[in-house]
Amino acid sequence: MLLPLHGRKNILLHGLPGSGKTTLVERLVNKIPYPKRGFYTREVREKGRRIGFKIVTLEGKEAWLAKRGKGYPQVGKYKVYVELFEKLAVPTISEVKENEMIIIDEIGKMELFSKPFQEAVLKVLDSKAPVLATVGYGLIPFVEELFKREDAIFAEVTPESRDYLVDRIAVEFYRPGFLIAIEGLDGSGKSTFIKGLAQKLEEKGEKVCVTREPTSGEWGQKIREHLAAGSKISPQAMAELFLRDRREHAQNFLIPKLQDGQIILCDRYYLSTMAYQGACELDIKEIKKANETWAPVPDLILYLKVSVEEALKRVNQRKFYKPEVFETQEFLTKVASIYENNLKYFRHEIIDASASPEEVLERAWEALSKHLEAWKERFR
């Protein structure tokens, strides 16, 4: 399996009824080249009227999950057939074999009447098997706990996102390339560092591309204009601009390059948005979830750590320097704290950036080499 190195192998899709979650899962099952086990939940209609839901395994076996009528347990107009569900569906996600991917469509109110199903879901999410699951809405304690998991990638399925999500989700399960995000305060030396790192990788014969965020696209230009002018734009509006820029960047550049097997060096990524907009009092976890609907999780973050005082000193020494709205010691102290508190969600290396550029590059290369070896090991 060419799973990404970032380590988050569970993807939970959520969306309103009718958003196309099952159709998306079916397209992903056909696209991702791994052995798979699991099931779909499908509507059953007669003369245009929904009469119930069936469980259909990936092997083509079927059983009723729920049907119009009275009985126990009951969800709305539907009687739930817990025993039939347990007999057919639960074994498909319980008997996990090596190198198999697990498909669960869906984890919802009807399915959760089964205690063995709940146990099987938790077991497989905690296993080494990659899991693609859809999750229902509603105030269901089991579902609410799933949304608290820090080891999962959450993606919201909407009519706007569902076609795009085919490639976006597939690249989390099958990724020949390697995405490295370079993060740190302005003044930590990212630009010089990235040039040196790209040169070292090219000398080793690697296919390397360098990019940055905000991009030079329509939304990225708007962001830069606001930052340069010190606009009094709300943190929510700025976060939305970054999200639009990142979506375009991922769709047009990051995902195609990862599919092509290239190493990407990205100067800032969505951890920056978490840090800077989080310092503006926005919900950091919600920023992370919203961005991961659209943006591939980086395989590795190289965080260039430098004190706030040193970062400001370096920035102030630049020629033609015009301070941005974010560049105050108090604000950047918050940013640095959020950066370091949220690195735990990513595979990362912290590089002491207080030394000379040559020393920083050498330390980073030493740290990166082991991750490059692990990436290459997947192809052997």
Side-chain angles (χ1 to χ4, degrees):
M1 288 187 173
L2 296 182
L3 290 172
L5 293 179
H6 57 64
R8 281 197 275 155
K9 52 85 184 176
N10 299 322
I11 298 188
L12 303 181
L13 305 175
H14 59 100
L16 294 172
S19 59
K21 297 190 298 294
T22 296
T23 302
L24 173 58
V25 171
E26 290 175 333
R27 292 173 69 183
L28 286 165
V29 165
N30 291 327
K31 187 177 182 67
I32 300 167
Y34 300 148
K36 306 170 190 76
R37 297 173 59 85
F39 66 89
Y40 306 111
T41 302
R42 289 187 176 141
E43 287 187 358
V44 180
R45 291 181 174 268
E46 285 186 359
K47 299 179 181 179
R49 174 174 173 262
R50 187 169 69 189
I51 63 168
F53 301 87
K54 278 189 175 181
I55 294 298
V56 182
T57 69
L58 269 62
E59 293 80 21
K61 297 178 181 178
E62 297 184 3
W64 283 103
L65 170 63
K67 197 173 182 180
R68 278 181 179 263
K70 298 294 183 181
Y72 180 82
Q74 187 91 18
V75 176
K77 301 175 182 179
Y78 304 96
K79 175 187 174 182
V80 181
Y81 294 91
V82 178
E83 289 185 8
L84 292 178
F85 171 70
E86 289 181 348
K87 184 176 180 180
L88 182 65
V90 174
T92 69
I93 66 170
S94 301
E95 301 165 6
V96 181
K97 297 178 183 178
E98 188 175 353
N99 291 329
E100 282 187 324
M101 179 177 172
I102 305 302
I103 307 297
I104 308 173
D105 176 41
E106 74 176 68
I107 304 169
K109 188 178 292 185
M110 293 178 179
E111 294 86 355
L112 289 170
F113 278 113
S114 169
K115 185 67 173 177
F117 174 67
Q118 294 184 29
E119 293 170 352
V121 167
L122 293 178
K123 184 176 179 180
V124 77
L125 288 174
D126 291 335
S127 74
K128 293 182 179 180
V131 178
L132 175 64
T134 62
V135 184
Y137 275 108
L139 298 176
I140 307 168
F142 188 89
V143 169
E144 291 177 336
E145 288 302 311
L146 291 184
F147 277 98
K148 294 177 184 177
R149 291 185 72 105
E150 296 179 351
D151 61 349
I153 299 167
F154 297 91
E156 184 176 7
V157 184
T158 64
E160 180 190 14
S161 70
R162 63 189 174 197
D163 289 336
Y164 167 74
L165 284 174
V166 176
D167 281 338
R168 185 266 166 281
I169 299 301
V171 85
E172 297 297 356
F173 290 116
Y174 184 81
R175 180 184 298 188
F178 190 40
L179 175 55
I180 305 170
I182 315 300
E183 297 282 10
L185 298 175
D186 198 15
S188 59
K190 295 187 308 302
S191 299
T192 302
F193 171 78
I194 289 172
K195 289 178 184 177
L197 196 58
Q199 184 177 342
K200 272 186 171 290
L201 288 165
E202 288 168 352
E203 288 170 356
K204 295 290 183 180
E206 305 291 355
K207 291 167 62 177
V208 185
C209 54
V210 176
T211 187
R212 67 172 184 168
E213 292 190 353
T215 71
S216 57
E218 175 188 358
W219 302 110
Q221 293 283 17
K222 289 182 184 293
I223 292 167
R224 293 182 189 281
E225 288 168 8
H226 282 298
L227 292 175
S231 302
K232 293 184 178 180
I233 183 172
S234 71
Q236 293 85 354
M238 184 63 84
E240 179 61 26
L241 287 176
F242 271 104
L243 189 58
R244 293 185 185 193
D245 185 46
R246 189 160 292 123
R247 172 186 172 180
E248 196 172 80
H249 190 207
Q251 184 170 13
N252 297 334
F253 187 88
L254 299 178
I255 292 173
K257 296 295 185 184
L258 288 173
Q259 291 170 332
D260 189 44
Q262 297 196 36
I263 296 175
I264 303 171
L265 299 177
C266 188
D267 183 350
R268 295 199 184 281
Y269 200 31
Y270 64 88
L271 179 56
S272 281
T273 307
M274 292 165 63
Y276 281 84
Q277 266 53 58
C280 294
E281 308 304 325
L282 296 191
D283 188 308
I284 296 166
K285 290 187 177 180
E286 288 304 313
I287 293 172
K288 177 171 169 284
K289 281 185 181 179
N291 277 270
E292 288 182 353
T293 288
W294 302 102
V297 176
D299 292 282
L300 179 67
I301 288 177
L302 295 178
Y303 177 66
L304 302 186
K305 183 174 180 176
V306 66
S307 70
V308 171
E309 294 78 11
E310 179 63 22
L312 285 171
K313 178 182 174 183
R314 292 178 181 181
V315 167
N316 286 324
Q317 289 173 345
R318 292 174 182 168
K319 291 183 179 180
F320 312 112
Y321 169 66
K322 182 179 180 181
E324 291 182 354
V325 66
F326 290 131
E327 291 169 357
T328 68
Q329 183 161 342
E330 181 182 3
F331 185 82
L332 289 180
T333 298
K334 288 183 184 178
V335 171
S337 176
I338 295 171
Y339 258 135
E340 294 177 29
N341 288 336
N342 285 275
L343 282 170
K344 63 186 178 184
Y345 298 120
F346 305 91
R347 183 181 288 251
H348 67 274
E349 294 284 350
I350 298 175
I351 311 299
D352 181 0
S354 62
S356 68
E358 295 76 18
E359 289 176 294
V360 173
L361 181 59
E362 199 56 42
R363 292 170 186 172
W365 181 253
E366 184 178 345
L368 176 59
S369 295
K370 62 184 179 184
H371 298 283
L372 288 173
E373 184 61 31
W375 172 60
K376 292 179 180 179
E377 187 66 32
R378 300 179 306 159
F379 298 93
R380 293 174 184 170

